[in-house]
Amino acid sequence: MQTLERDVVIIGAGPSGLSAARALKAGGLSVAVLEARDRVGGRTWTDTIDGAMLEIGGQWISPDQTALSALVEELGLETFERYREGESVYISADGTRRTYTGDMFPVGEQTEKEMLRLIEILDALAAETDPAAPWNHPRARELDTVSFHHWLRAQSADEEACNNIGLFVAGGMLTKPAHAFSALQAVLMAASAGSFSNLVDEDFILDRRVAGGMQQVSERMAEDLAGDVFLSNPVRFLRWPGESSGTAGGAHEGGTGTMQDGETGTTAITDPIRTTAVTAVAESVTVHARYAVMAVPPNLYSRVSFEPPLPRRQHQMHQHQSLGLVIKVHAVYRTPFWRDKGLSGTCFGAGELVQEIYDNTNHQDPRGTLVGFVSDEKADRMFELSAQDRRRAILSSIAAFLGEEALEPEVYYESDWGSEEWTRGAYAASYDLGGLHRYGKDQLTPVGPIYWSCSDLAAEGYQHVDGAVRMGQGTAHKILAVDGQG
């Protein structure tokens, strides 16, 4: 067992943890990053499967994701635009296949009016909502105690319009059924992207990719950290002094006290820690540090044994956060055959097994790659099938959009983050009904020397790589400020 002395121990070597480590080190603090997996990158993972490079995890950059864009440029990585020329395909509720151009699905006149009206309502709510504090919205409790499914139907009697609008948040983002999360959670998703209109604009939200894969962002940050990243080291115990006040962010002995300002919600800082305040015990490394950063999703906090246990508020909060479920399907073909038909590869169908499909062809690759998504309850049904039957059903769904050529890919692969030991879901955590307004204000409050940092807790860039980067950098700045060096 190797024993290290560091200023900060960081648990998780994804974009958030590595961004935090990099900023802390630049600020003069020593760090150790402990990662359970045998690789860096967290929920970003670029791998070669049967000779094809696939983005198994997060991959896209949108124009508003300035923190990620700046980091990509700083690291010397190149980006390229997602292919989007030609017509898109929509399969309506009655199974009719239509092609179209522009942003709006080719639906009936009344359904189109209802969709536009719902988008307008959601845009207005998003504009009123601070993504850093959605629980402060004057209607927060009202919006948080009704499911997005039922809220939509309270606004409109047009079922196709409701399903289409729900698709962009439920299957497309939170990967949970729309009845499983609140309207406030949907509004947060929109506010974090700038507007609901941005969420329904695939050309905005899925704009660019990193040439060579998004995981390179984490790999290059890890290179900058030299010998401070320790792989295959899941943290088993996190020992801290406990707290004196009994609150979620109470002071710890000899450490930094935090006190919430009742009017502003800002955090007041008392004397900084100058001695070991936390010990992380991993598989082959023990780190004594003055601060700890939990840079993993909330559903994994319980994989660490905290000694003493975290406060009651934290225990309750974490039980109300969970990840969704999605199968990310990759199909690689000899050529991008859909382009020859004048199609962009972009497809939508709220009632279809594969609800959305995109051209995911790699930069300068003569082959064509499609990526499709099977979410929530539909994914449940697919996992009841054998691998062969599941592949047949999914490819048949893709073929309904793009033609029989889709039935015979050269490479086929399913990203299943729900079965991945150190993730257990996708894409990010969200609260159950009523949880966001009840617990959200405390989700980033440090517990003694322990800080929380992941895309699941981000404001701008929530559940995206950009949010992970923002959270890592922001957490580092908080610690540097507490330590008197920021």
Side-chain angles (χ1 to χ4, degrees):
M1 175 71 75
Q2 184 179 7
T3 301
L4 304 173
E5 301 284 338
R6 293 288 192 271
D7 291 312
V8 187
V9 60
I10 296 154
I11 297 149
S16 189
L18 293 170
S19 294
R22 199 162 173 261
L24 287 163
K25 196 168 183 180
L29 298 186
S30 59
V31 301
V33 183
L34 305 179
E35 169 56 51
R37 301 178 180 88
D38 61 0
R39 61 172 181 84
V40 299
R43 284 168 278 181
T44 61
W45 185 11
T46 308
D47 203 2
T48 300
I49 307 294
D50 296 335
M53 191 200 83
L54 304 179
E55 289 278 44
I56 294 172
Q59 62 175 76
W60 281 297
I61 308 173
S62 60
D64 63 320
Q65 294 177 352
T66 53
L68 176 57
S69 296
L71 179 59
V72 165
E73 183 177 354
E74 181 186 346
L75 295 172
L77 297 169
E78 296 182 5
T79 63
F80 66 101
E81 289 188 357
R82 177 177 64 84
Y83 184 85
R84 61 194 81 179
E85 297 177 16
E87 293 185 307
S88 300
V89 180
Y90 172 75
I91 297 181
S92 64
D94 64 5
T96 303
R97 177 188 179 277
R98 297 182 177 91
T99 59
Y100 68 101
T101 57
D103 297 333
M104 178 53 65
F105 296 161
V107 294
E109 181 179 355
Q110 184 58 36
T111 295
E112 179 176 341
K113 287 181 179 178
E114 286 298 283
M115 288 180 65
L116 291 171
R117 190 174 65 82
L118 289 169
I119 292 170
E120 184 178 357
I121 294 170
L122 286 161
D123 275 346
L125 286 169
E128 297 169 353
T129 301
D130 178 359
W135 43 87
N136 287 339
H137 190 282
R139 296 170 56 201
R141 189 179 192 282
E142 172 194 340
L143 292 169
D144 200 34
T145 53
V146 60
S147 76
F148 191 45
H149 172 97
H150 290 96
W151 180 88
L152 284 169
R153 282 149 186 84
Q155 311 302 314
S156 174
D158 190 310
E159 188 67 11
E160 186 171 11
C162 291
N163 283 330
N164 284 341
I165 295 300
L167 163 66
F168 291 103
V169 181
M173 290 293 175
L174 299 180
T175 63
K176 293 179 176 179
H179 63 255
F181 59 89
S182 73
L184 184 64
Q185 189 80 56
V187 171
L188 167 60
M189 189 76 250
S192 73
S195 69
F196 195 85
S197 291
N198 285 344
L199 286 186
V200 302
D201 181 358
E202 75 276 2
D203 288 343
F204 179 88
I205 207 73
L206 311 178
D207 182 32
R208 305 186 70 84
R209 292 175 54 197
V210 175
M214 183 66 80
Q215 190 184 359
Q216 291 177 103
V217 172
S218 293
E219 291 170 340
R220 295 204 180 183
M221 285 195 289
E223 290 172 6
D224 291 345
L225 293 165
D228 292 325
V229 179
F230 300 85
L231 303 179
S232 301
N233 265 286
V235 173
R236 304 302 188 186
F237 300 95
L238 198 62
R239 298 182 176 124
W240 61 294
E243 57 179 26
S244 59
S245 68
T247 64
H252 58 282
E253 184 179 352
T256 299
T258 61
M259 179 173 61
Q260 291 296 318
D261 182 322
E263 292 184 359
T264 66
T266 58
T267 301
I269 306 299
T270 61
D271 294 334
I273 306 166
R274 293 302 174 196
T275 58
T276 295
V278 63
T279 296
V281 181
E283 201 77 357
S284 62
V285 182
T286 293
V287 183
H288 300 296
R290 298 191 290 122
Y291 309 93
V293 177
M294 288 291 292
V296 297
N299 67 305
L300 296 183
Y301 296 162
S302 62
R303 300 297 302 277
V304 176
S305 293
F306 293 85
E307 298 179 354
L310 293 173
R312 177 195 316 109
R313 181 75 170 170
Q314 291 285 328
H315 286 165
Q316 287 294 308
M317 182 195 314
H318 302 159
Q319 291 178 62
H320 288 269
Q321 295 167 288
S322 63
L323 274 73
L325 176 65
V326 65
I327 306 171
K328 183 180 183 181
V329 179
H330 313 260
V332 183
Y333 301 87
R334 187 176 61 84
T335 63
F337 64 85
W338 52 93
R339 298 182 187 178
D340 295 335
K341 301 179 180 183
L343 300 175
S344 65
T346 300
C347 310
F348 293 102
E352 300 303 297
L353 174 60
V354 183
Q355 292 181 307
E356 51 180 332
I357 303 167
Y358 303 98
D359 185 320
N360 212 39
T361 302
N362 290 324
H363 186 50
Q364 297 181 337
D365 190 346
R367 294 174 297 180
T369 300
L370 294 172
V371 63
F373 299 90
V374 182
S375 294
D376 54 73
E377 293 173 319
K378 294 175 181 177
D380 289 338
R381 293 199 299 272
M382 286 298 98
F383 285 128
E384 293 176 355
L385 303 178
S386 67
Q388 183 177 1
D389 287 345
R390 185 168 63 247
R391 169 180 169 141
R392 185 180 300 113
I394 289 172
L395 289 176
S396 294
S397 182
I398 296 174
F401 290 99
L402 296 172
E404 292 188 358
E405 300 95 324
L407 295 171
E408 300 295 336
E410 293 184 345
V411 178
Y412 176 87
Y413 184 78
E414 298 169 2
S415 299
D416 173 21
W417 287 93
S419 65
E420 209 275 339
E421 177 69 6
W422 298 107
T423 304
R424 302 188 172 190
Y427 309 111
S430 55
Y431 284 93
D432 58 14
L433 282 178
L436 180 56
H437 88 283
R438 183 178 176 187
Y439 296 106
K441 65 184 176 67
D442 293 321
Q443 64 185 9
L444 291 178
T445 303
V447 176
I450 305 169
Y451 290 72
W452 317 96
S453 181
C454 56
S455 63
D456 315 72
L457 307 179
E460 290 85 359
Y462 165 56
Q463 81 153 239
H464 290 94
V465 181
D466 178 76
V469 172
R470 289 176 187 271
M471 286 297 303
Q473 294 172 346
T475 302
H477 294 154
K478 288 179 184 178
I479 292 173
L480 289 168
V482 167
D483 201 64
Q485 299 187 34

